Amino acid sequence: MSTALVITFVLGLAIFGTPLWLLTPREQRSRVLVCLVLILPMSWLMFHMVRLPADKWLIKTLGEGELLTWIRTAYAPLTEEPAKLWPLLLPWVRKAITRENVACFALALGLGFALGEMVTIADLVTVRQPKIAALPWYELGGFIQERLMTCGIHAGMTAVALVIWRFHSRFALGLLLAMIAHYLANFPISMKNWGWLGGNANVSMAIVSIWVVLCFLAAIAALVLLRFGRSSLSTRLYGRALCPGCGTIYDRSMWAMNLGLSLRYERCPHCRKWHTTTALKE
């Protein structure tokens, strides 16, 4: 398990930390890095200092039962989403986050939490499931894959809160929506454990895996669009075109029929007519 943890940690930094470093403006990199470091211990702290004591208190108060089972499904969103946002209490962090760099800070906060969560999960597996922890690292591919995807998923959830806060000045609403997104991402796991996805373990595991992958892809897509903007991203991918009808040069949209490397059938945003176009050479 220790080897798998080191591999996953390094891969997480390489896969997600590299684009974070490259996409963050040079003058803001130090602040983004500090935010990432500040979040690293939060998973362990929230689990051991908040979730476990709260669970023990609820067991004494409510007893084991269906109500407590449902309450436990909300532990992660209720504790983890606020934990990822605590650096906003620091004035220099609040002032540093703008509409232009919000994706970078969301990735830093989400990545920092995910990296710390890797350590927390590995420690729990070692203590509670020593037989699994004793397996060679190459047999722990599920742990490695899942933990890597959480790097993007956590960042996507944090982006929800930061966007609502920075774009609409509604922090509480942003935090609530991030918690809801987190709950929805986790709920199929509870459904599997309760047998709601059927009695076939392979089928239920496949459903949960597909759901996690979809959440990961949605989070990454949201971060990319947030960082580059839909029009900027489409221009980077498809370039610009000259409308053969009205003669206007325009940024090419993502929504078109691709007929080749640069040949597309698309509608001009100015004259609103459909034409076959090729990318301009710039």
Side-chain angles (χ1 to χ4, degrees), residues 39 109-119 147 150-152 154:
I39 292 297
L109 296 172
L111 177 59
F113 189 90
L115 293 174
E117 191 176 49
M118 293 177 188
V119 179
R147 290 301 102 200
T150 59
C151 294
H154 273 304

Side-chain angles (χ1 to χ4, degrees), residues 20-176:
L20 172 63
W21 183 262
L22 294 176
L23 295 175
T24 302
R26 188 183 299 265
E27 66 276 7
Q28 298 171 356
R29 287 176 179 173
S30 59
R31 298 184 181 186
V32 167
L33 179 61
V34 170
C35 285
L36 188 153
V37 173
L38 289 175
I39 292 297
L40 284 173
M42 295 310 299
S43 175
W44 191 93
L45 290 174
M46 295 307 292
F47 185 84
H48 291 282
M49 306 302 292
V50 178
R51 287 176 61 171
L52 287 184
D55 190 67
K56 291 179 181 179
W57 180 80
L58 287 172
I59 291 174
K60 293 180 181 179
T61 305
L62 302 175
E64 292 283 0
E66 186 175 352
L67 177 58
L68 182 56
T69 299
W70 277 96
I71 293 175
R72 282 171 174 160
T73 63
Y75 280 176
L78 288 176
T79 59
E80 294 178 3
E81 294 310 314
K84 288 186 286 183
L85 298 176
W86 85 261
L88 296 183
L89 295 174
L90 304 174
W92 62 268
V93 174
R94 290 198 306 273
K95 294 178 181 179
I97 300 176
T98 64
R99 295 188 177 190
E100 290 72 26
N101 64 22
V102 66
C104 297
F105 276 92
L107 180 54
L109 296 172
L111 177 59
F113 189 90
L115 293 174
E117 191 176 49
M118 293 177 188
V119 179
T120 303
I121 297 297
D123 179 63
L124 290 175
V125 171
T126 301
V127 173
R128 298 180 180 181
Q129 297 177 304
K131 291 184 179 180
I132 295 179
L135 293 173
W137 69 267
Y138 50 81
E139 293 187 20
L140 297 172
F143 169 83
I144 296 173
Q145 179 182 351
E146 178 185 302
R147 290 301 102 200
L148 288 177
M149 285 195 291
T150 59
C151 294
I153 294 173
H154 273 304
M157 295 169 182
T158 304
V160 173
L162 292 183
V163 166
I164 299 299
W165 165 62
R166 180 50 71 197
F167 283 67
H168 304 284
S169 301
R170 303 185 68 178
F171 179 80
L173 177 61
L175 178 58
L176 176 61

Side-chain angles (χ1 to χ4, degrees), residues 187-203:
F187 193 65
I189 300 175
S190 299
M191 295 172 65
K192 171 184 171 295
N193 295 335
W194 297 338
W196 288 11
L197 300 180
N200 190 311
N202 292 330
V203 172

